[in-house]
Amino acid sequence: MGRPPCCEETGVKKGPWTPEEDEKLMAYISKHGSGSWRALPKHAGLNRCGKSCRLRWTNYLRPDIRRGKFTEEEEKLIINLHSVLGNKWSKIATHLPGRTDNEIKNFWNTNLRKKLLQMGIDPETHKPRTDLKYLLNLSQLLGTAINNNNLISPSWSHAGLLGLQQPDLAHQLVQIQLVQNLLQLINGNSSLLSNMQSVLPLLGNHNSVINNPIEADTTNGPNYTFPINLRDQELHASPALFPSAPSESGQDISESGTDREGASDQQVLGINNSISRTTSHEMNQADDENPFGATSSGNFNQMEGRSNQQSPPSTVFDAWEKLLEDDDASDSYWKELLDLTSTSTSPILW
DNA sequence: AACTTACTCAACCGCTTCGAA
DNA sequence: CTTCGAAGCGGTTGAGTAAGT
């Protein structure tokens, strides 16, 4: 037998509160305080359960509630707090005076979540997205960027922040994003690797894309040989690329446990590495799956209209191949790219 | 103008935590 | 230590509204 509902009394009203009910509740609490919520409705002359009264008070009637749009600062704070605390809305709310946990939760689910997704950040982990669908989209964009220098959308207008020439910018930023996501993938997401392995055959013949990318023996998990050798010092020097790598103190804040409580205020209020690694907050263009503002189908149409055009890469591995074919893809180029990735992202983002 | 779709947010449900007995 | 009631919390729902067709 389950637990009986909190409002056992029959005839207890549910649903939206009327102004009269609000009046009664406010009048009672301002005179007597909330006290026992269970007893409150009877004393206040309300035909509601105590729980409903408490919720109405804490989420709506409380005099210190701040209404209106969330400011940009609040937005950033919520994202930072969420990266440390997870879905602990009430704890997050304690850092935002006047905001209720319910309000923050709603704001997160309806706005911030989408925003992060569009920016290529997984809203659950606050790490670059590594879902296959997103990576495939990214690789298509990269291919288009390589093949079509005209792909410069208005959202790249902050190029100056990077000190880059516009024609190179889309190319480089897409590469950075792809590298980040791939490294994230290589670094820890073995289940995704398995998924990719199973999906690859469905995408066509890509075995030639990278020499021997997948070893035949995968009994101990997929064994990928990626075409670049990342030296240890690069890994450590680039926390933005390797978000799950241990911090200096030997702790990975964002992965210290399923419950991310216990974070210091510095951790909570400071800029969070895992958030600030994204390339641009202006990437949230129309297409949810496409943070670069150009739909892949549109780009393909554009490409098909051009004669003697190479096909756009259709997988992450194709994108890798493209990168490697690139004249610029020398060792020094990769080093520059990685340096850029690790040093330039924060000021761009926030 | 009518209809559909997408979005927002107040409110509810049910599980967990807390504290008194 | 255990039990039990109350409060707290997070996930979900659905009515109202705005935007799009």
Side-chain angles (χ1 to χ4, degrees), chain A residues 62 64-66 74 77 92-100 104:
Chain A
R62 237 174 50 201
D64 60 328
I65 283 182
R66 194 163 134 212
E74 286 178 312
L77 185 53
I92 292 173
T94 61
H95 290 85
L96 289 106
R99 300 293 190 184
T100 69
I104 294 168

Side-chain angles (χ1 to χ4, degrees), chain A residues 175-250:
Chain A
Q175 284 179 352
I176 289 166
Q177 181 80 11
L178 181 65
V179 169
Q180 285 186 349
N181 285 281
L182 281 166
L183 292 177
Q184 171 72 22
L185 181 150
I186 300 163
N187 216 25
N189 197 338
S190 58
S191 64
L192 177 62
L193 288 173
S194 309
N195 288 342
M196 289 185 74
Q197 209 173 341
S198 61
V199 166
L200 274 175
L202 304 175
L203 298 172
N205 178 18
H206 297 288
N207 293 335
S208 62
V209 170
I210 296 175
N211 292 332
N212 195 24
I214 305 168
E215 300 290 334
D217 180 9
T218 56
T219 45
N220 294 319
N223 185 2
Y224 282 71
T225 305
F226 275 86
I228 56 173
N229 295 315
L230 294 164
R231 294 184 294 278
D232 282 346
Q233 60 266 36
E234 285 174 332
L235 305 191
H236 294 308
S238 185
L241 281 170
F242 293 90
S244 61
S247 64
E248 269 182 40
S249 63

Side-chain angles (χ1 to χ4, degrees), chain A residues 24 29 31 47 94 102 143 149 158 162 167-168 175 185 187 195 201 215 256 290 308-310 322-323 341:
Chain A
K24 280 184 183 177
I29 290 179
K31 199 171 175 185
N47 188 25
T94 61
N102 206 35
N149 279 338
H158 58 272
L162 278 177
D168 297 330
Q175 284 179 352
L185 181 150
N187 216 25
N195 288 342
E215 300 290 334
S256 56
N290 182 340
N308 299 326
Q309 194 75 53
Q310 282 181 289
K322 272 292 172 195
L323 285 175
T341 310

